[in-house]
Amino acid sequence: MAAVDTPANLAFGQTALVALPGLGRALVMAGKLQQKTAEDIYRKSQANRSSFIAELTGSGVVSATDLAHTMSVAFAAPMLDLDAIDPQRLPKGLLDPKICHSLRVVVLSKRNNRLIVATADPSDQVGAEKIKFSTQMGTDWVIAEYDKLSKLVDTTTQSAGEAMDSIVSQDFEFDDMSMEVAAEEDVDAGTTDVEDAPVVKFLQKMLIDAFNMRASDLHFEPYEHTYRVRFRVDGELREISAPPIAIKDKLASRIKVISKLDISEKRVPQDGRMKMKMGRDKVIDFRVSTLPTMFGEKIVIRILDPSSAKMGIDALGYDAVEKERLLSAIERPYGMVLVTGPTGSGKTVSLYSCLNLLNKPGVNISTAEDPCEINLPGVNQVNVNDKAGLTFAAALKSFLRQDPDVIMVGEIRDLETADIAIKAAQTGHMVMSTLHTNDAPTTLTRMRNMGIAPFNIASSVILITAQRLARRLCPNCKKPADIPYETLIQAGFKEEEVDGSWTPYRPVGCSACNNGYKGRVGVYQVMPISEDMQRLILADASAIDIAKQSEAEGVRSLRQSGLFKVKQGLTSMEEVIAVTNQ
C-alpha cells in the first residue's frame, strides 16, 4: 500500500529536507526531531548500512513509544501494543519470512484481499510495493513500537532449525556419547523446515540431560500452538524446554525410527525401545510409548537403568524387619510373592532386586513382562505380545514346560493368568508378580474379586508387599520443622512416640536439590501370610479384618512405615501424608 499523502508529507517541499526519508521528515515536521539531528542520523545509517529507524531508536533521541505515537497521528493509522499478541496465533504463510525480516514487519491478519501489517515506519513506500508484488494484495498499516516489533519479527521469522541450534548450545559435546540408531533412513512424513542435525542434537541433549538429572521419564507433548518437554524428577513433572512446534513431526519420526516403530502409523499407540551409550562401557535403555493426541503424537520415554536392579535391598529403603520378612519369603522353594502399588512406585525395581539375589548358576529364572524393562543377564526374559498371541497366560504355560525354579510375571491382569500363576506356586515354583491395589490387605480381596477361590489364595500367597516412593529430603539443606503435637498425633503417631527424642525435618531448597528434595526412598508395608491370616482368607474375611490381623502381628501400615521414615529424618511429614493412605 502506498504511503498516505498527509498534509505533513505534502509540506515537505523544502530542498534542505529532500534527502531525509519520509519517517525523518514526519518527525521534523512534528517537532520531535531537529533537522540537523535527523540529517546526522541519516548519514550515520548510510555509513553503517543500517536502517534510519534502527539508528534513530538506537541513539535514544526518540523513544520507540514516542515514535509510534507520532507515526500513528501523522499517518492516521491505528496503534497496537504487541505485548497483547500471541506469536503462535499469528497467520503463517501469507508473506515470505525473508521479506518480513528485511522490512521489519509482521502480518497480523488478512481481510478480504488486504493484509493487516504491523510496522514502525508507515512511510516506507518501497516496502509496501514489495509486499504488494509478493502477495498480490494491498496493505493496511498498523503502527507498533519498533523495539517490540523487532523482537516479534525475530521470533516469527526464525526458522525451527535456528531455534533448535539456539537450544542446543554449540559447546555441547557428543564425542563419547553416541546413540544407537536403526539402519533405516529417517523419513519425514510431515512438512517442516527442520534440518536433521538440530533434531538429532536436541534429542540427544534431552536424553543425556534427563539421565544426568536422574529423571525417570521424558514427556514430549504437542499442543495447538506450543510444544513442551517435561522430565519427571523425583516423582514430579518439571518443564525443561519449549522447542518450536514445527519440530513435532520430525522429532516424532526420529524417535520412532530409532525405536524401530512404524513412522507412517500415527493413528494408534505404539511401543518400542532404544539405547544410548554413555561413555565407553555404560549403555542406557529407554522404553518408548507414543500416543496420538489432537495436535500430534505425545511421546513418553522411560529411562531404564540396569544398575538400579543391582543396588540391593538395603538401597531401596527396607528397614531391618521388613527386609528379613522379604528375604525369608523369596528364599522359600515355592509360593507366591506379590508387590502392589500404583504406576511409578518402584514395583519393577523391587522385583528385579529380589531376582538379582536369586540369580545364581543353579537357579532357572524366567520372566514375562509387557515390556521387559530391565535387562538382567542370567534371566530368561520374554516380552509379551498380545497381537501375536503371546499373552501372560501363554508365556506362563510355556514356562512350566521349561523346568523353572523362579517365575516372574510382570502383572496379573486377568483370572486366567492368576489361575496359572497360583497353580505354579502350588506345584513347587517361586512365583513373583505385581498387582495394582492400594495396600497389602486389599490385595487379597482384589484377588477374590477376580474370581480366585479363597483356598487357592490361602495355599499359594506367602507374602504381599505394598509400596510407595516418597521424596527424600536433601541432606545439605533440610532443617528442623516445628510441627505441633496435635498435628503429629493426627498424622498417625502414637502418644508415646512423640516424646521429644527425635526431630522432624522440612525441605528448604539449595543448588544441589529440587525444592528441598533429592532422590526418593521407599515406603513399604510387608505383610507375610500367617496361619491366622490364612483362616481369615478361607472365611472370606474383608480387607478391614485382614488389616486388623496384620496390625496385631506387627505389620506396619503404609502410613506408619512412612512416619517411621519421618522419625529417621529421611523425608518430610507433608510428603508422607501425600503418598500414603490413612
Side-chain angles (χ1 to χ4, degrees):
M1 171 182 168
V4 179
D5 286 331
T6 64
N9 281 348
L10 297 176
F12 291 126
Q14 294 100 345
T15 305
L17 297 179
V18 170
L20 290 177
L23 181 67
R25 298 198 303 270
L27 289 171
V28 171
M29 190 65 178
K32 298 293 183 180
L33 201 61
Q34 295 294 325
Q35 178 181 332
K36 185 178 185 306
T37 304
E39 291 177 349
D40 290 343
I41 292 174
Y42 179 66
R43 292 190 191 97
K44 186 177 179 181
S45 68
Q46 293 289 91
N48 294 338
R49 295 185 178 181
S50 61
S51 67
F52 176 78
I53 191 171
E55 291 291 345
L56 177 68
T57 54
S59 66
V61 177
V62 178
S63 68
T65 302
D66 201 8
L67 173 63
H69 281 291
T70 303
M71 293 299 102
S72 177
V73 172
F75 290 87
M79 184 176 168
L80 176 67
D81 183 3
L82 293 182
D83 286 339
I85 296 294
D86 182 358
Q88 299 294 340
R89 295 184 178 274
L90 291 173
K92 295 177 176 61
L94 294 178
L95 185 60
D96 188 341
K98 293 180 180 178
I99 296 178
C100 292
H101 190 271
S102 64
L103 299 180
R104 312 308 283 173
V105 298
V106 171
V107 178
L108 300 175
S109 64
K110 176 187 174 186
R111 183 185 302 145
N112 298 324
N113 198 36
R114 301 187 69 82
L115 295 179
I116 312 300
V117 181
T119 183
D121 183 7
S123 69
D124 187 4
Q125 297 182 8
V126 176
E129 291 299 324
K130 281 186 179 180
I131 295 174
K132 183 175 182 180
F133 179 79
S134 175
T135 63
Q136 300 301 307
M137 286 185 281
T139 304
D140 290 333
W141 293 130
V142 173
I143 310 301
E145 294 159 280
Y146 184 74
D147 52 352
K148 295 179 180 179
L149 180 64
S150 292
K151 184 177 179 180
L152 184 60
V153 167
D154 291 338
T155 300
T156 55
T157 60
Q158 182 184 40
S159 72
E162 291 170 340
M164 296 298 295
D165 283 333
S166 66
I167 294 175
V168 183
S169 59
Q170 295 300 317
D171 59 351
F172 191 77
E173 297 292 341
F174 296 99
D175 293 341
D176 296 326
M177 308 173 187
S178 59
M179 189 173 297
E180 187 176 287
V181 182
E184 295 87 354
E185 289 295 325
D186 185 0
V187 180
D188 180 23
T191 57
T192 176
D193 64 343
V194 186
E195 299 82 3
D196 284 351
V199 173
V200 173
K201 287 185 178 181
F202 176 73
L203 177 58
Q204 284 187 302
K205 177 172 170 56
M206 290 297 101
L207 293 175
I208 293 171
D209 284 353
F211 179 78
N212 290 336
M213 292 173 65
R214 303 180 63 86
S216 60
D217 302 88
L218 298 84
H219 293 241
F220 297 87
E221 302 170 316
Y223 297 97
E224 184 176 7
H225 302 292
T226 57
Y227 193 74
R228 71 177 176 181
V229 181
R230 294 192 290 175
F231 294 172
R232 188 175 292 278
V233 181
D234 295 337
E236 282 194 337
L237 277 173
R238 299 169 56 187
E239 185 167 343
I240 300 299
S241 179
I245 193 171
I247 76 162
K248 65 177 183 179
D249 292 329
K250 195 76 172 182
L251 185 59
S253 294
R254 182 70 186 172
I255 293 173
K256 289 162 78 173
V257 165
I258 298 171
S259 308
K260 298 182 180 179
L261 301 178
D262 185 358
I263 64 171
S264 64
E265 181 57 78
K266 300 182 179 181
R267 299 168 297 175
V268 297
Q270 298 186 67
D271 295 299
R273 296 174 72 95
M274 62 185 183
K275 293 183 178 182
M276 185 172 64
K277 295 179 182 178
M278 300 287 290
R280 298 184 182 277
D281 302 321
K282 191 173 184 63
V283 177
I284 306 299
D285 287 333
F286 299 90
R287 188 182 71 190
V288 179
S289 174
T290 70
L291 179 69
T293 66
M294 286 181 63
F295 304 107
E297 289 181 286
K298 176 184 177 181
I299 299 176
V300 176
I301 300 178
R302 168 71 57 89
I303 300 177
L304 309 174
D305 187 359
S307 61
S308 62
K310 301 178 182 180
M311 294 188 301
I313 295 294
D314 294 327
L316 299 182
Y318 288 92
D319 67 27
V321 176
E322 294 168 343
K323 174 185 173 183
E324 183 182 353
R325 289 171 180 166
L326 180 61
L327 294 180
S328 176
I330 65 173
E331 288 171 357
R332 291 175 60 173
Y334 60 87
M336 178 180 285
V337 173
L338 294 173
V339 179
T340 74
T343 302
S345 60
K347 299 187 297 296
T348 300
V349 172
S350 294
L351 283 176
Y352 267 95
S353 297
C354 293
L355 290 179
N356 196 47
L357 293 174
L358 300 175
N359 188 16
K360 300 173 183 177
V363 180
N364 180 20
I365 303 175
S366 296
T367 73
E369 301 169 78
D370 184 21
C372 295
E373 295 191 1
I374 298 174
N375 180 25
L376 193 60
V379 175
N380 307 292
Q381 298 173 279
V382 175
N383 268 323
V384 169
N385 188 341
D386 291 332
K387 292 182 180 178
L390 183 56
T391 61
F392 279 117
L396 271 175
K397 289 178 182 177
S398 179
F399 288 168
L400 295 177
R401 295 190 289 270
Q402 294 277 321
D403 186 29
D405 296 306
V406 179
I407 295 173
M408 196 270 273
V409 185
E411 182 183 352
I412 294 179
R413 298 176 178 173
D414 51 56
L415 178 58
E416 183 183 10
T417 304
D419 190 45
I420 299 171
I422 284 175
K423 288 178 180 176
Q426 291 171 336
T427 54
H429 306 94
M430 169 56 63
V431 179
M432 301 180 187
S433 188
T434 68
L435 274 175
H436 289 280
T437 55
N438 288 331
D439 56 16
T442 56
T443 303
L444 297 170
T445 55
R446 164 73 176 135
M447 296 179 73
R448 185 71 185 92
N449 292 336
M450 289 175 67
I452 305 171
F455 171 80
N456 285 330
I457 299 174
S459 61
S460 60
V461 179
I462 58 175
L463 181 132
I464 301 173
T465 296
Q467 66 181 66
R468 300 289 189 276
L469 287 178
R471 290 181 294 171
R472 188 188 295 265
L473 284 168
C474 175
N476 297 325
C477 65
K478 67 178 183 181
K479 290 188 177 180
D482 185 14
I483 302 177
Y485 173 85
E486 294 78 10
T487 303
L488 294 173
I489 298 298
Q490 188 177 4
F493 282 107
K494 297 177 182 178
E495 292 185 4
E496 58 269 23
E497 290 181 308
V498 189
D499 55 4
S501 62
W502 55 276
T503 303
Y505 288 89
R506 61 179 176 85
V508 177
C510 65
S511 59
C513 66
N514 178 27
N515 296 326
Y517 296 97
K518 185 177 182 180
R520 288 192 284 181
V521 62
V523 176
Y524 302 95
Q525 180 185 27
V526 182
M527 186 179 79
I529 306 300
S530 63
E531 289 186 3
D532 290 336
M533 208 167 291
Q534 286 177 339
R535 295 190 185 96
L536 288 175
I537 296 170
L538 291 172
D540 207 11
S542 67
I544 296 176
D545 295 330
I546 295 172
K548 289 180 180 178
Q549 179 62 33
S550 69
E551 185 177 359
E553 295 177 3
V555 176
R556 290 196 190 105
S557 67
L558 281 168
R559 172 61 63 85
Q560 291 169 342
S561 181
L563 294 177
F564 184 70
K565 297 290 192 297
V566 173
K567 289 180 65 176
Q568 293 176 306
L570 296 175
T571 188
S572 65
M573 177 75 72
E574 297 84 359
E575 187 68 9
V576 168
I577 293 174
V579 301
T580 61
N581 297 319
Q582 178 67 344

